[in-house]
Amino acid sequence: MQSEFLTSATRKEEYPVTTMPEVVVVGRSNVGKSSFINAFCQRKKLAYVGSTPGKTRLINFFEIDKKWMLVDVPGYGYAKMSKSMLIQMGKMMDEYFTCREQISLVISLVDSRHEPTGDDVDMIDYLKELGIPILVVATKIDKVPKTKRIKALKVVSQKLQLPLNQILPVSSTEKTGFEPVYEKIQSMLESQS
Ligand SMILES: Nc1nc2c(ncn2[C@@H]2O[C@H](COP(=O)(O)OP(=O)(O)OP(=O)(O)O)[C@@H](O)[C@H]2O)c(=O)[nH]1
Ligand SMILES: [Mg+2]
């Protein structure tokens, strides 16, 4: 797989001028969006990974195989962010989701160690309302004991009101679980082309 950072944007005027389909990675701050992108692309430092939440502040576009775009966006639910910053980021995300016609799939990341939060549910509901296809990825599965993994995925499925087969577990540190995600994206892109 070939991957390349294309550009960052805050406003629609700055989005790359292309019609390639976009797959957006969303989730709470620190859930592992940037790590997911790096592991997915088999790159170490394509997207910036931070030890403190709130690292990604812009919409970042990565071109994959010259065919489609993977998009990294700021996380939500970061309590320490200032109110004005929260509003600014909310507007930035809303503009992106409502204006960008080629959004083909949203990969919604949730932490497999915990029940999805109210913010996670709100995000999923927002996407359902916009009619954007959703795939849920449960991150940091390496932190859940093997015998408790199925149960953890069931909790996610139940809370988000989505079928269990729409929840895929991954570990970005151990680089496991990415093949099924790749296959889902491919079949999604093929069905829309
Ligand atoms: N054990 C484990 N740690 C992970 C995994 N994915 C991410 N992390 C860690 O979680 C922290 C946050 O990862 P990021 O990828 O920066 O998270 P993010 O969602 O991009 O965060 P923001 O950009 O701040 O919204 C980092 O310390 C990562 O090393 C995983 O699969 N397993
Ligand atoms: Mg990030």
Side-chain angles (χ1 to χ4, degrees):
M1 186 193 308
Q2 192 219 326
S3 54
E4 183 189 352
F5 170 72
L6 212 60
T7 190
S8 295
T10 55
R11 302 174 285 116
K12 62 173 182 282
E13 293 75 21
E14 299 166 344
Y15 300 163
V17 182
T18 147
T19 54
M20 281 187 260
E22 285 174 7
V23 176
V24 195
V25 179
V26 304
R28 282 172 64 81
S29 202
N30 219 40
V31 70
K33 295 176 294 299
S34 302
S35 303
F36 171 85
I37 289 177
N38 289 335
F40 181 84
C41 297
Q42 297 166 306
R43 296 274 298 268
K44 285 201 176 82
K45 290 180 183 167
L46 189 61
Y48 186 74
V49 173
S51 51
T52 50
K55 281 294 169 203
T56 306
R57 294 283 168 99
L58 307 167
I59 303 173
N60 299 299
F61 298 83
F62 302 92
E63 194 182 81
I64 310 294
D65 293 337
K66 307 257 176 226
K67 279 197 198 117
W68 57 280
M69 307 267 258
L70 200 51
V71 183
D72 190 18
V73 300
Y76 50 79
Y78 180 40
K80 282 190 190 149
M81 199 173 285
S82 72
K83 192 138 195 187
S84 64
M85 194 69 193
L86 268 179
I87 292 169
Q88 198 186 316
M89 300 251 271
K91 277 188 187 156
M92 175 172 94
M93 300 285 284
D94 205 42
E95 180 175 53
Y96 174 68
F97 282 113
T98 54
C99 296
R100 195 67 163 166
E101 285 176 23
Q102 64 259 55
I103 297 177
S104 302
L105 177 68
V106 170
I107 302 183
S108 180
L109 265 53
V110 296
D111 191 326
S112 62
R113 295 171 294 179
H114 314 286
E115 180 178 68
T117 64
D119 289 327
D120 292 326
V121 175
D122 289 347
M123 187 71 205
I124 296 281
D125 287 347
Y126 173 76
L127 297 169
K128 282 180 184 168
E129 235 167 74
L130 289 173
I132 301 173
I134 306 163
L135 173 66
V136 175
V137 164
T139 62
K140 309 190 186 186
I141 197 74
D142 56 283
K143 297 264 195 184
V144 179
K146 284 205 171 80
T147 53
K148 295 185 176 155
R149 290 182 186 176
I150 303 278
K151 170 74 186 149
L153 298 178
K154 280 184 181 161
V155 168
V156 172
S157 157
Q158 176 69 27
K159 181 80 181 185
L160 298 179
Q161 294 288 291
L162 288 168
L164 195 56
N165 68 6
Q166 222 171 316
I167 324 278
L168 302 177
V170 303
S171 165
S172 298
T173 49
E174 294 181 351
K175 303 194 170 47
T176 55
F178 288 87
E179 195 59 38
V181 175
Y182 183 79
E183 280 163 18
K184 279 263 186 200
I185 294 174
Q186 289 307 318
S187 69
M188 193 71 217
L189 294 175
E190 273 161 30
S191 74
Q192 289 178 15
S193 64

